[in-house]
Amino acid sequence: MKFIPPWRCSGGIFDKDEAEARLAELNAAAEAGTLWDEPDYARRVMRQRASLEAQLKALTGLELELSDTVELLQLAETEEDESAVSDAEQDLRKLAAEAQRRATEALLSGEADSNDCFLEIHAGAGGTESQDWAEMMLRMYLRWAVRHECGTEELSRTDGEEAGLKSVTVRVSGADAYGWLKTESGVHRLVRISPFDAQGRRHTSFASVWIYPVVDEDIEVEVEDKDLKVDTYRASGAGGQHVNKSDSAVRITHKPTGIVVQCQSQRSQHQNRATALRMLKARLFELELQKREEERQAMEAGKTEIGWGHQIRSYVLQPHQMVKDLRTGVQTSDPQAVLDGDLDAFLSAALAARLGGQGAAET
């Protein structure tokens, strides 16, 4: 695998001087007459340049707004204008919230954090209950994507017999999609009064989530044909007459690791195979990132490994209302907001904890 070092920050903290120096390098590259001789390289330069300019512009804007607001507050206090003081204090709170959001973005400095990502959801044991929970989770992440102006594309889906879904794979496209969602991998637990139980009993359901980055031109992952088992089958669900009557869906198994990926979103078997292969490379890349993270954590005393297969969050709808992240301690008494896509408090805390910060808080 080959990586291009991230520019965004150093040690998890946004460095303005470093960012300005990097922007100068990108500007020089963009002005070179030979830039577009290599289109892929040119697109990466222009994408990084635009992103970095936006970061620096936002930082400068925050600094100016803070300075202006502090001056207004001091003037209002001098003139004993309580209404103006209240307005200035409210503006400061808004600036603090915006600064916190920008600080979280500065944590997104991993090798693939700026990439799009694949989101997989699998229902746990429990039949219809868990399958319905898996579909609720899909809705939650789709709504989060809308909030963050991310695009989504459903690549593969297996519906439940009565309700919900057994599994689904979605591509999430947008700024830092993988960086934001990467800590969501794990088991999510739901406790509620079941709408499928005639006796109105409380049920506990589980669904697992797996997040892995889309591999772009910056990353090389070698996969040999001899290591692959490729199966074709008929796509399920809606998709047009051609999809339902031909073996257009593709499933690829990577023999050395046992990783299985599948795609059925396209009419063409060739297109589905190409997408499935990209998904496989992304899974292999995520496996490498996970290995590095485990090695890093093993070297740091007192840290508990948070890996695939471990329960990370509980969503309780009855008898009380609560969502709690079991890794960071972040919790809220408004589960409906979370299920409507309000996940940022959990994501921010998990990112901070991953880099050694303190995540416990209440929202």
PDB file of all heavy atoms in Angstrom, residues 165-187:
ATOM      1  N   LEU A 165     -34.371  -5.229   7.457  1.00  0.00           N
ATOM      2  CA  LEU A 165     -33.383  -5.757   6.521  1.00  0.00           C
ATOM      3  C   LEU A 165     -32.359  -6.615   7.256  1.00  0.00           C
ATOM      4  O   LEU A 165     -32.087  -6.409   8.442  1.00  0.00           O
ATOM      5  CB  LEU A 165     -32.696  -4.615   5.770  1.00  0.00           C
ATOM      6  CG  LEU A 165     -32.016  -3.509   6.597  1.00  0.00           C
ATOM      7  CD1 LEU A 165     -30.562  -3.853   6.909  1.00  0.00           C
ATOM      8  CD2 LEU A 165     -32.077  -2.185   5.863  1.00  0.00           C
ATOM      9  N   LYS A 166     -31.835  -7.588   6.536  1.00  0.00           N
ATOM     10  CA  LYS A 166     -30.800  -8.453   7.103  1.00  0.00           C
ATOM     11  C   LYS A 166     -29.428  -7.817   6.981  1.00  0.00           C
ATOM     12  O   LYS A 166     -28.594  -7.938   7.877  1.00  0.00           O
ATOM     13  CB  LYS A 166     -30.819  -9.808   6.388  1.00  0.00           C
ATOM     14  CG  LYS A 166     -32.079 -10.617   6.624  1.00  0.00           C
ATOM     15  CD  LYS A 166     -32.013 -11.953   5.893  1.00  0.00           C
ATOM     16  CE  LYS A 166     -33.257 -12.783   6.153  1.00  0.00           C
ATOM     17  NZ  LYS A 166     -33.223 -14.077   5.408  1.00  0.00           N
ATOM     18  N   SER A 167     -29.178  -7.159   5.839  1.00  0.00           N
ATOM     19  CA  SER A 167     -27.897  -6.490   5.644  1.00  0.00           C
ATOM     20  C   SER A 167     -28.037  -5.442   4.561  1.00  0.00           C
ATOM     21  O   SER A 167     -28.916  -5.537   3.697  1.00  0.00           O
ATOM     22  CB  SER A 167     -26.802  -7.503   5.265  1.00  0.00           C
ATOM     23  OG  SER A 167     -27.076  -8.079   4.000  1.00  0.00           O
ATOM     24  N   VAL A 168     -27.167  -4.440   4.621  1.00  0.00           N
ATOM     25  CA  VAL A 168     -27.165  -3.390   3.604  1.00  0.00           C
ATOM     26  C   VAL A 168     -25.769  -2.785   3.534  1.00  0.00           C
ATOM     27  O   VAL A 168     -25.063  -2.724   4.544  1.00  0.00           O
ATOM     28  CB  VAL A 168     -28.215  -2.296   3.944  1.00  0.00           C
ATOM     29  CG1 VAL A 168     -27.857  -1.549   5.219  1.00  0.00           C
ATOM     30  CG2 VAL A 168     -28.383  -1.322   2.786  1.00  0.00           C
ATOM     31  N   THR A 169     -25.366  -2.383   2.336  1.00  0.00           N
ATOM     32  CA  THR A 169     -24.104  -1.678   2.134  1.00  0.00           C
ATOM     33  C   THR A 169     -24.392  -0.389   1.392  1.00  0.00           C
ATOM     34  O   THR A 169     -25.055  -0.389   0.355  1.00  0.00           O
ATOM     35  CB  THR A 169     -23.104  -2.522   1.322  1.00  0.00           C
ATOM     36  OG1 THR A 169     -22.874  -3.767   1.994  1.00  0.00           O
ATOM     37  CG2 THR A 169     -21.778  -1.784   1.162  1.00  0.00           C
ATOM     38  N   VAL A 170     -23.901   0.727   1.942  1.00  0.00           N
ATOM     39  CA  VAL A 170     -24.144   2.056   1.370  1.00  0.00           C
ATOM     40  C   VAL A 170     -22.813   2.777   1.229  1.00  0.00           C
ATOM     41  O   VAL A 170     -21.959   2.701   2.126  1.00  0.00           O
ATOM     42  CB  VAL A 170     -25.082   2.884   2.279  1.00  0.00           C
ATOM     43  CG1 VAL A 170     -25.243   4.301   1.745  1.00  0.00           C
ATOM     44  CG2 VAL A 170     -26.440   2.202   2.406  1.00  0.00           C
ATOM     45  N   ARG A 171     -22.639   3.451   0.115  1.00  0.00           N
ATOM     46  CA  ARG A 171     -21.478   4.326  -0.033  1.00  0.00           C
ATOM     47  C   ARG A 171     -21.887   5.728   0.418  1.00  0.00           C
ATOM     48  O   ARG A 171     -22.898   6.263  -0.026  1.00  0.00           O
ATOM     49  CB  ARG A 171     -20.988   4.372  -1.479  1.00  0.00           C
ATOM     50  CG  ARG A 171     -19.840   5.364  -1.690  1.00  0.00           C
ATOM     51  CD  ARG A 171     -19.201   5.237  -3.042  1.00  0.00           C
ATOM     52  NE  ARG A 171     -18.176   6.268  -3.231  1.00  0.00           N
ATOM     53  CZ  ARG A 171     -17.162   6.182  -4.087  1.00  0.00           C
ATOM     54  NH1 ARG A 171     -17.038   5.111  -4.850  1.00  0.00           N
ATOM     55  NH2 ARG A 171     -16.276   7.160  -4.188  1.00  0.00           N
ATOM     56  N   VAL A 172     -21.089   6.317   1.315  1.00  0.00           N
ATOM     57  CA  VAL A 172     -21.323   7.666   1.807  1.00  0.00           C
ATOM     58  C   VAL A 172     -20.246   8.569   1.223  1.00  0.00           C
ATOM     59  O   VAL A 172     -19.053   8.339   1.436  1.00  0.00           O
ATOM     60  CB  VAL A 172     -21.293   7.726   3.347  1.00  0.00           C
ATOM     61  CG1 VAL A 172     -21.610   9.138   3.834  1.00  0.00           C
ATOM     62  CG2 VAL A 172     -22.281   6.723   3.947  1.00  0.00           C
ATOM     63  N   SER A 173     -20.660   9.589   0.475  1.00  0.00           N
ATOM     64  CA  SER A 173     -19.718  10.464  -0.221  1.00  0.00           C
ATOM     65  C   SER A 173     -19.847  11.885   0.301  1.00  0.00           C
ATOM     66  O   SER A 173     -20.941  12.445   0.341  1.00  0.00           O
ATOM     67  CB  SER A 173     -19.999  10.459  -1.735  1.00  0.00           C
ATOM     68  OG  SER A 173     -19.968   9.153  -2.252  1.00  0.00           O
ATOM     69  N   GLY A 174     -18.723  12.450   0.723  1.00  0.00           N
ATOM     70  CA  GLY A 174     -18.745  13.822   1.220  1.00  0.00           C
ATOM     71  C   GLY A 174     -17.465  14.143   1.957  1.00  0.00           C
ATOM     72  O   GLY A 174     -16.591  13.289   2.133  1.00  0.00           O
ATOM     73  N   ALA A 175     -17.338  15.387   2.403  1.00  0.00           N
ATOM     74  CA  ALA A 175     -16.130  15.837   3.074  1.00  0.00           C
ATOM     75  C   ALA A 175     -15.874  15.029   4.347  1.00  0.00           C
ATOM     76  O   ALA A 175     -16.714  14.987   5.242  1.00  0.00           O
ATOM     77  CB  ALA A 175     -16.253  17.324   3.410  1.00  0.00           C
ATOM     78  N   ASP A 176     -14.727  14.368   4.413  1.00  0.00           N
ATOM     79  CA  ASP A 176     -14.298  13.618   5.603  1.00  0.00           C
ATOM     80  C   ASP A 176     -15.304  12.558   6.046  1.00  0.00           C
ATOM     81  O   ASP A 176     -15.452  12.289   7.236  1.00  0.00           O
ATOM     82  CB  ASP A 176     -14.022  14.570   6.774  1.00  0.00           C
ATOM     83  CG  ASP A 176     -12.930  15.577   6.461  1.00  0.00           C
ATOM     84  OD1 ASP A 176     -11.911  15.172   5.876  1.00  0.00           O
ATOM     85  OD2 ASP A 176     -13.087  16.762   6.785  1.00  0.00           O
ATOM     86  N   ALA A 177     -15.986  11.945   5.088  1.00  0.00           N
ATOM     87  CA  ALA A 177     -17.019  10.960   5.441  1.00  0.00           C
ATOM     88  C   ALA A 177     -16.439   9.823   6.277  1.00  0.00           C
ATOM     89  O   ALA A 177     -17.006   9.447   7.310  1.00  0.00           O
ATOM     90  CB  ALA A 177     -17.679  10.414   4.172  1.00  0.00           C
ATOM     91  N   TYR A 178     -15.303   9.269   5.847  1.00  0.00           N
ATOM     92  CA  TYR A 178     -14.715   8.168   6.615  1.00  0.00           C
ATOM     93  C   TYR A 178     -14.208   8.655   7.972  1.00  0.00           C
ATOM     94  O   TYR A 178     -14.394   7.986   8.993  1.00  0.00           O
ATOM     95  CB  TYR A 178     -13.575   7.518   5.833  1.00  0.00           C
ATOM     96  CG  TYR A 178     -12.836   6.473   6.647  1.00  0.00           C
ATOM     97  CD1 TYR A 178     -13.475   5.288   7.010  1.00  0.00           C
ATOM     98  CD2 TYR A 178     -11.527   6.672   7.077  1.00  0.00           C
ATOM     99  CE1 TYR A 178     -12.815   4.333   7.788  1.00  0.00           C
ATOM    100  CE2 TYR A 178     -10.863   5.726   7.839  1.00  0.00           C
ATOM    101  CZ  TYR A 178     -11.509   4.564   8.198  1.00  0.00           C
ATOM    102  OH  TYR A 178     -10.864   3.618   8.962  1.00  0.00           O
ATOM    103  N   GLY A 179     -13.585   9.828   7.985  1.00  0.00           N
ATOM    104  CA  GLY A 179     -13.067  10.348   9.246  1.00  0.00           C
ATOM    105  C   GLY A 179     -14.144  10.526  10.287  1.00  0.00           C
ATOM    106  O   GLY A 179     -13.967  10.194  11.462  1.00  0.00           O
ATOM    107  N   TRP A 180     -15.313  11.018   9.872  1.00  0.00           N
ATOM    108  CA  TRP A 180     -16.403  11.219  10.810  1.00  0.00           C
ATOM    109  C   TRP A 180     -16.987   9.900  11.301  1.00  0.00           C
ATOM    110  O   TRP A 180     -17.298   9.746  12.490  1.00  0.00           O
ATOM    111  CB  TRP A 180     -17.519  12.036  10.153  1.00  0.00           C
ATOM    112  CG  TRP A 180     -17.326  13.517  10.207  1.00  0.00           C
ATOM    113  CD1 TRP A 180     -16.993  14.348   9.195  1.00  0.00           C
ATOM    114  CD2 TRP A 180     -17.459  14.350  11.374  1.00  0.00           C
ATOM    115  NE1 TRP A 180     -16.908  15.647   9.631  1.00  0.00           N
ATOM    116  CE2 TRP A 180     -17.192  15.678  10.966  1.00  0.00           C
ATOM    117  CE3 TRP A 180     -17.781  14.107  12.708  1.00  0.00           C
ATOM    118  CZ2 TRP A 180     -17.231  16.759  11.855  1.00  0.00           C
ATOM    119  CZ3 TRP A 180     -17.821  15.179  13.582  1.00  0.00           C
ATOM    120  CH2 TRP A 180     -17.549  16.485  13.161  1.00  0.00           C
ATOM    121  N   LEU A 181     -17.144   8.934  10.406  1.00  0.00           N
ATOM    122  CA  LEU A 181     -17.906   7.730  10.747  1.00  0.00           C
ATOM    123  C   LEU A 181     -17.058   6.547  11.204  1.00  0.00           C
ATOM    124  O   LEU A 181     -17.606   5.545  11.649  1.00  0.00           O
ATOM    125  CB  LEU A 181     -18.747   7.300   9.536  1.00  0.00           C
ATOM    126  CG  LEU A 181     -19.907   8.229   9.160  1.00  0.00           C
ATOM    127  CD1 LEU A 181     -20.562   7.748   7.864  1.00  0.00           C
ATOM    128  CD2 LEU A 181     -20.947   8.298  10.272  1.00  0.00           C
ATOM    129  N   LYS A 182     -15.749   6.641  11.106  1.00  0.00           N
ATOM    130  CA  LYS A 182     -14.909   5.454  11.322  1.00  0.00           C
ATOM    131  C   LYS A 182     -15.046   4.844  12.719  1.00  0.00           C
ATOM    132  O   LYS A 182     -14.821   3.641  12.892  1.00  0.00           O
ATOM    133  CB  LYS A 182     -13.441   5.800  11.048  1.00  0.00           C
ATOM    134  CG  LYS A 182     -12.832   6.821  11.991  1.00  0.00           C
ATOM    135  CD  LYS A 182     -11.402   7.157  11.582  1.00  0.00           C
ATOM    136  CE  LYS A 182     -10.785   8.181  12.517  1.00  0.00           C
ATOM    137  NZ  LYS A 182      -9.414   8.557  12.070  1.00  0.00           N
ATOM    138  N   THR A 183     -15.417   5.640  13.720  1.00  0.00           N
ATOM    139  CA  THR A 183     -15.544   5.088  15.072  1.00  0.00           C
ATOM    140  C   THR A 183     -16.890   4.410  15.318  1.00  0.00           C
ATOM    141  O   THR A 183     -17.154   3.934  16.425  1.00  0.00           O
ATOM    142  CB  THR A 183     -15.346   6.197  16.130  1.00  0.00           C
ATOM    143  OG1 THR A 183     -16.321   7.223  15.922  1.00  0.00           O
ATOM    144  CG2 THR A 183     -13.946   6.799  16.032  1.00  0.00           C
ATOM    145  N   GLU A 184     -17.750   4.351  14.295  1.00  0.00           N
ATOM    146  CA  GLU A 184     -19.061   3.741  14.459  1.00  0.00           C
ATOM    147  C   GLU A 184     -19.050   2.224  14.323  1.00  0.00           C
ATOM    148  O   GLU A 184     -20.059   1.568  14.582  1.00  0.00           O
ATOM    149  CB  GLU A 184     -20.047   4.331  13.443  1.00  0.00           C
ATOM    150  CG  GLU A 184     -20.458   5.751  13.744  1.00  0.00           C
ATOM    151  CD  GLU A 184     -21.234   5.851  15.061  1.00  0.00           C
ATOM    152  OE1 GLU A 184     -22.423   5.507  15.072  1.00  0.00           O
ATOM    153  OE2 GLU A 184     -20.621   6.261  16.068  1.00  0.00           O
ATOM    154  N   SER A 185     -17.922   1.657  13.887  1.00  0.00           N
ATOM    155  CA  SER A 185     -17.844   0.195  13.740  1.00  0.00           C
ATOM    156  C   SER A 185     -18.011  -0.485  15.091  1.00  0.00           C
ATOM    157  O   SER A 185     -17.342  -0.135  16.065  1.00  0.00           O
ATOM    158  CB  SER A 185     -16.499  -0.207  13.121  1.00  0.00           C
ATOM    159  OG  SER A 185     -16.421   0.206  11.781  1.00  0.00           O
ATOM    160  N   GLY A 186     -18.908  -1.463  15.137  1.00  0.00           N
ATOM    161  CA  GLY A 186     -19.137  -2.186  16.379  1.00  0.00           C
ATOM    162  C   GLY A 186     -20.581  -2.634  16.474  1.00  0.00           C
ATOM    163  O   GLY A 186     -21.343  -2.558  15.515  1.00  0.00           O
ATOM    164  N   VAL A 187     -20.971  -3.103  17.652  1.00  0.00           N
ATOM    165  CA  VAL A 187     -22.317  -3.618  17.885  1.00  0.00           C
ATOM    166  C   VAL A 187     -23.154  -2.552  18.589  1.00  0.00           C
ATOM    167  O   VAL A 187     -22.720  -1.955  19.575  1.00  0.00           O
ATOM    168  CB  VAL A 187     -22.280  -4.910  18.725  1.00  0.00           C
ATOM    169  CG1 VAL A 187     -23.691  -5.385  19.051  1.00  0.00           C
ATOM    170  CG2 VAL A 187     -21.517  -5.999  17.978  1.00  0.00           C
TER     171      VAL A 187
END
